[in-house]
Amino acid sequence: MVDACETMPKADTIKLRNKHIGKSCQLFYRSDPLKIVRGQGQYMYDEQGARYLDCINNVAHVGHCHPKVVEAGTRQLATLSTNNRFLHDELVQCAQTLAAKMPGNLSVCYFVNSGSEANDLALRLARQHTGRHEVITLDHAYHGHVSAVMDISPYKFNQPGGDPKPDFVHVAPCPDVYRGKYRDCDYPDGTDLGQLYADEVQRLLDRSPAGVAAFIAESLQSCGGQIIPPAGYFQKVYDAVRKAGGVTIADEVQVGFGRIGTHYWAFEPHGIVPDIVTVAKPMGNGHPVGAVVTTPEIAESFAATGVCYFNTYGGNPVSCAIANAVMRVIDEERLQENALRVGRYLLEQSRALAYEYQLVGDVRGTGLFVGIELVADRQRRLPATRAAKAVVERMKTVHRILVSSDGPDDNVVKLKPPMVFTAENADEFLYAIRECLTYLEQQQQKESSAAAPEVANAPVRVTHPLATGGILQPSPISRGQRDTSTLIKSI
């Protein structure tokens, strides 16, 4: 284990950052940012040697500084680093491995440096193949930061100061059955919510005068709040898009490479095979590398333009050597199986939080991709944004566990840790979040002690699979129903 050296005090690092780094480049924990100087496995260390359990990094997929990944990159960097316009084995072997892990006819690869580049290229492929320009995306989606994919990312363009949505972009509702347009609590059991959400896409297809080039969606929305689409949704949407002459793009940039546990790719449980798949982040374990995988037919359409595609660094020998090492480690160390086993335990235990804390409205996820949605009122499913931010901060300062919050109302506590996360790590997280939720509800109880009894004792609808009959009477320990916006500032 290599000791990390701090070259300057943290205060000086902050001063230089404030002077030379754009203000829009935001940090985690902005009021008291962490200076992380070393990582190992599922842990990160600050300049004082304090250890933090990393539940944020879906980038360090097989663990920070995995020795086999470090060795592969170091060896190739010491041998050759050049662009991909020369033959080299690491590139073709990486493409071969990716294609072998894809279903159907997904067999042609283009290498890039990032998820943003991958999604930008995917749009070009779709538009060239269909001869169309319009795109359907999902509300709250995030597909990258370059101009072309900012145009199809409501997560970005709906923010204050964001550019207006282009006319060629059509936004379908996010298939969120908890707080989306069609909620499970508003319909009888057995209602096909997947069909209701798919009908929204069909309406956009019907209203498009020139026809849609592509439907693009993250297989599981991450920035949108850890959303698990209802059964049948993607199948119905893909059928409709293809019938209308469009192609389908699955964005696996955040959730691919075994994270969901049950499958290698997050689109697979939905019984679909996309026309184009984009991958990045976990592929390089922190090294910038990504890819677009598509069918020979779409690749031929792209080649027919006569315009040469090349990417100076995309597919370079070092990047491909690292990506190959990452995929070998996933297989050799059975990390997909680990995600399934630990993820099931984590999800089951996290769902139990709903019985203990009124703040917990919904718990959802698969594998090592889990979201805990905090609400101020379970019946109305009002977001507890302030509470989520307080949990994130307290987890860091009191328990040295790094989590984040996201979603349209920033009220979903997210977990997407390195794939080496263990059941013991899950227990550490569960102990800590219980302490945080207990602390918050104690603060609420102090403020709501004078609340009307009929409000405090109202039955609460519970939608979790562990709930019996769907109704839970509030326990004496969790009577608080008010928004947490008045929680003390010290949290």
Side-chain angles (χ1 to χ4, degrees):
M1 186 177 294
V2 178
D3 290 332
C5 296
E6 183 188 21
T7 59
M8 65 181 72
K10 180 178 175 179
D12 289 350
T13 305
I14 291 173
K15 288 178 183 177
L16 280 178
R17 184 180 177 96
N18 289 339
K19 181 177 180 180
H20 295 295
I21 304 300
K23 291 183 179 179
S24 58
C25 300
Q26 294 183 350
L27 291 162
F28 287 126
Y29 312 108
R30 279 173 282 173
S31 62
D32 182 22
L34 286 174
K35 183 174 181 179
I36 298 296
V37 299
R38 184 168 66 85
Q40 191 70 42
Q42 62 271 54
Y43 300 103
M44 301 175 77
Y45 299 81
D46 69 14
E47 79 285 0
Q48 296 180 336
R51 190 186 77 174
Y52 294 84
L53 177 61
D54 182 5
C55 299
I56 290 177
N57 261 292
N58 60 338
V59 177
H61 192 63
V62 299
H64 293 277
C65 301
H66 193 289
K68 292 182 180 179
V69 176
V70 172
E71 192 276 332
T74 302
R75 182 182 66 250
Q76 185 58 54
L77 186 62
T79 305
L80 174 69
S81 180
T82 183
N83 65 43
N84 68 6
R85 300 181 78 182
F86 297 97
L87 284 172
H88 65 87
D89 291 345
E90 295 285 1
L91 183 145
V92 295
Q93 289 169 354
C94 190
Q96 181 184 44
T97 303
L98 273 176
K101 292 182 178 297
M102 291 285 174
N105 204 23
L106 291 161
S107 58
V108 182
C109 301
Y110 300 84
F111 288 96
V112 295
N113 301 294
S114 68
S116 297
E117 279 193 11
N119 285 323
D120 176 84
L121 179 56
L123 291 180
R124 290 177 60 191
L125 292 170
R127 285 165 172 161
Q128 176 61 29
H129 185 67
T130 62
R132 300 172 177 178
H133 194 71
E134 298 181 21
V135 177
I136 295 177
T137 187
L138 296 181
D139 203 6
H140 316 310
Y142 175 62
H143 296 292
H145 63 82
V146 300
S147 296
V149 291
M150 287 280 283
D151 285 345
I152 59 168
S153 298
Y155 180 78
K156 289 294 185 181
F157 66 63
N158 279 340
Q159 291 185 9
D163 292 334
K165 179 185 74 64
D167 291 339
F168 60 82
V169 174
H170 310 291
V171 180
C174 170
D176 174 5
V177 299
Y178 182 70
R179 281 203 312 120
K181 182 172 183 178
Y182 303 108
R183 307 185 306 170
D184 53 11
C185 62
D186 297 329
Y187 295 87
D189 291 342
T191 301
D192 190 347
L193 297 179
Q195 184 66 63
L196 294 179
Y197 278 109
D199 288 344
E200 294 284 342
V201 176
Q202 183 65 63
R203 281 189 275 274
L204 294 175
L205 291 167
D206 293 341
R207 290 201 295 264
S208 173
V212 168
F215 167 83
I216 183 170
E218 299 157 88
S219 302
L220 300 170
Q221 271 201 1
S222 180
C223 293
Q226 309 294 84
I227 302 301
I228 310 295
Y233 170 73
F234 275 125
Q235 286 183 329
K236 294 176 174 68
V237 169
Y238 273 36
D239 288 345
V241 170
R242 286 168 174 158
K243 189 177 294 183
V247 301
T248 56
I249 304 172
D251 181 339
E252 292 270 330
V253 169
Q254 297 210 48
V255 293
F257 295 93
R259 174 163 294 279
I260 67 167
T262 56
H263 298 78
Y264 205 81
W265 307 113
F267 63 76
E268 292 182 279
H270 300 286
I272 56 174
V273 180
D275 299 304
I276 304 171
V277 179
T278 59
V279 298
K281 291 184 192 297
M283 183 176 174
N285 212 53
H287 186 84
V289 58
V292 178
V293 188
T294 190
T295 65
E297 293 78 15
I298 292 176
E300 284 299 320
S301 295
F302 192 54
T305 63
V307 178
C308 175
Y309 175 79
F310 69 90
N311 187 314
T312 301
Y313 296 112
N316 73 78
V318 176
S319 295
C320 288
I322 288 173
N324 284 328
V326 168
M327 289 187 282
R328 283 195 300 271
V329 168
I330 293 170
D331 293 342
E332 292 169 0
E333 299 187 6
R334 304 175 68 85
L335 293 183
Q336 181 182 327
E337 291 89 335
N338 183 69
L340 178 63
R341 182 179 63 257
V342 176
R344 281 178 173 170
Y345 174 73
L346 176 62
L347 190 61
E348 178 185 85
Q349 295 299 313
S350 294
R351 282 178 171 153
L353 297 172
Y355 296 104
E356 303 174 51
Y357 303 98
Q358 291 291 326
L359 276 169
V360 178
D362 190 39
V363 179
R364 50 187 178 260
T366 174
L368 292 177
F369 179 86
V370 175
I372 301 172
E373 181 152 354
L374 303 187
V375 294
D377 185 314
R378 278 190 178 177
Q379 290 176 304
R380 291 179 291 168
R381 301 186 176 185
L382 299 178
T385 301
R386 187 73 174 273
K389 291 181 179 295
V391 166
V392 169
E393 184 63 26
R394 189 170 179 85
M395 289 287 278
K396 181 200 77 165
T397 56
V398 175
H399 301 284
R400 291 182 178 172
I401 296 177
L402 307 182
V403 296
S404 61
S405 62
D406 224 322
D409 295 290
D410 204 13
N411 67 314
V412 181
V413 177
K414 298 169 55 174
L415 287 90
K416 42 188 178 63
M419 295 277 280
V420 292
F421 203 72
T422 66
E424 290 74 21
N425 296 144
D427 285 335
E428 184 179 351
F429 164 79
L430 290 161
Y431 174 86
I433 197 168
R434 278 192 169 89
E435 189 281 331
C436 293
L437 293 171
T438 299
Y439 177 79
L440 291 177
E441 291 202 342
Q442 287 173 348
Q443 304 307 305
Q444 288 179 300
Q445 287 172 31
K446 291 177 182 178
E447 296 173 351
S448 60
S449 57
E454 61 271 18
V455 173
N457 294 319
V460 175
R461 178 179 175 86
V462 180
T463 60
H464 305 297
L466 294 177
T468 302
I471 299 295
L472 177 68
Q473 297 293 336
S475 63
I477 196 172
S478 54
R479 294 179 180 273
Q481 295 288 328
R482 293 171 54 190
D483 192 348
T484 56
S485 60
T486 56
L487 288 176
I488 59 174
K489 294 180 180 179
S490 62
I491 299 174

